[in-house]
Amino acid sequence: MRELAREYCATLSSHPLGLRNARRWIMRLVLEAGFTPRDAHDLAVAFSEACANVHRHAYGGRRDGRVELRVGIEDERVVVAVAHDGEPFDPAGYAPPDLRRPSESGYGLYLIASLVDEVSFEDTGSGGRVVLVKR
């Protein structure tokens, strides 16, 4: 049986190297909580894609944007929230990629949705938040 809920927080910049280190940190937390290596890997990849989108789209490639991470680990699920002060994402304008017509980009959200059980996007009024849930 897994331990009761725990929450971990970190604030870092939108620099890709720091976000890569955060991916390793999240993976370690999830594995230590008793989740499977596959679940930890899936969540880490989804997190990386979400952070790449924050870096690329919310901050326009800037490396000095604030990224706040919250990782909540409960009995049967992990919740990762990625908040930022950049441009929020509007999911109403999203169209899934046409997998029959290969493209160089545009697969991030599709990949995220296939790796986690829930994904949501919020406009916080001062930026945006992506919430990933893995059961």
Side-chain angles (χ1 to χ4, degrees), residues 57-135:
H57 302 293
Y59 285 119
R62 285 185 22 228
R63 296 176 176 204
D64 62 345
R66 182 190 68 83
V67 177
E68 182 179 313
L69 307 179
R70 289 190 177 277
V71 180
I73 300 176
E74 299 177 354
D75 218 18
E76 296 297 325
R77 72 181 191 151
V78 179
V79 179
V80 176
V82 179
H84 59 83
D85 298 325
E87 287 295 317
F89 173 70
D90 180 7
Y94 172 70
D98 182 349
L99 299 179
R100 296 168 299 177
R101 304 180 89 193
S103 174
E104 290 291 320
S105 62
Y107 297 101
L109 294 180
Y110 176 81
L111 181 61
I112 291 169
S114 70
L115 293 171
V116 297
D117 297 298
E118 294 175 39
V119 59
S120 61
F121 303 92
E122 304 167 12
D123 183 334
T124 64
S126 62
R129 180 178 303 113
V130 181
V131 180
L132 310 171
V133 178
K134 184 71 173 173
R135 288 186 179 77

Side-chain angles (χ1 to χ4, degrees), residues 42-54:
D42 287 354
L43 185 59
V45 171
F47 167 77
S48 291
E49 286 295 325
C51 287
N53 286 343
V54 167

